[in-house]
Amino acid sequence: MMKKVFGLLVSAFLVLGMMSTSAFADAAKGQKYYLKYMKDGSSMNGAKFATQHTQAEWKALFDGKGEKFIAEYSKKFPGLDAFLKGEKFQKFMPDIRDFCIEFASDSGNVPSC
């Protein structure tokens, strides 16, 4: 009986560990990263930026490693190209993704930036 419970707990921790990147992404952190790394390059505040797409459109843009997002926004805003193609973006992308989805045009939420 103890072996089954222990095995179940270990399995649960492994699954949580594998999902941690996207499951623990934080829209508030994404807002901070947007303000610090992307606002100047896009010349938009966070509210205007996030409402460019619906939640479904943001999810599609950020699918995989965000290749569609990187392609679209590198083209729209050449000042963001270095950041979007760098290691920092890959590290911060889950949080930036959550920020965009949280404040998308169809979300009804408005960020304070």
Side-chain angles (χ1 to χ4, degrees):
M1 178 72 176
M2 283 299 282
K3 280 187 177 181
K4 283 185 179 180
V5 171
F6 182 73
L8 206 72
L9 284 173
V10 169
S11 297
F13 282 117
L14 287 174
V15 169
L16 275 175
M18 289 173 22
M19 295 173 38
S20 65
T21 303
S22 61
F24 297 113
D26 184 351
K29 282 184 183 177
Q31 183 176 353
K32 277 196 235 173
Y33 297 142
Y34 175 79
L35 292 173
K36 186 170 183 176
Y37 298 106
M38 297 176 67
K39 184 179 177 182
D40 291 339
S42 68
S43 302
M44 281 190 257
N45 66 24
K48 192 171 180 181
F49 185 84
T51 57
Q52 292 182 78
H53 294 285
T54 63
Q55 291 177 324
E57 290 169 343
W58 282 123
K59 286 177 185 173
L61 284 172
F62 280 103
D63 269 353
K65 293 186 176 184
E67 294 92 352
K68 291 177 186 173
F69 177 83
I70 293 168
E72 180 176 330
Y73 285 94
S74 290
K75 189 175 178 180
K76 276 185 179 176
F77 306 108
L80 294 177
D81 190 57
F83 171 70
L84 294 176
K85 293 180 179 172
E87 289 180 23
K88 278 186 181 176
F89 179 72
Q90 287 302 318
K91 182 179 173 184
F92 301 148
M93 188 181 74
D95 297 317
I96 293 171
R97 175 187 183 273
D98 276 11
F99 165 70
C100 292
I101 292 170
E102 178 81 18
F103 299 107
S105 61
D106 60 345
S107 71
N109 299 325
V110 179
S112 60
C113 58

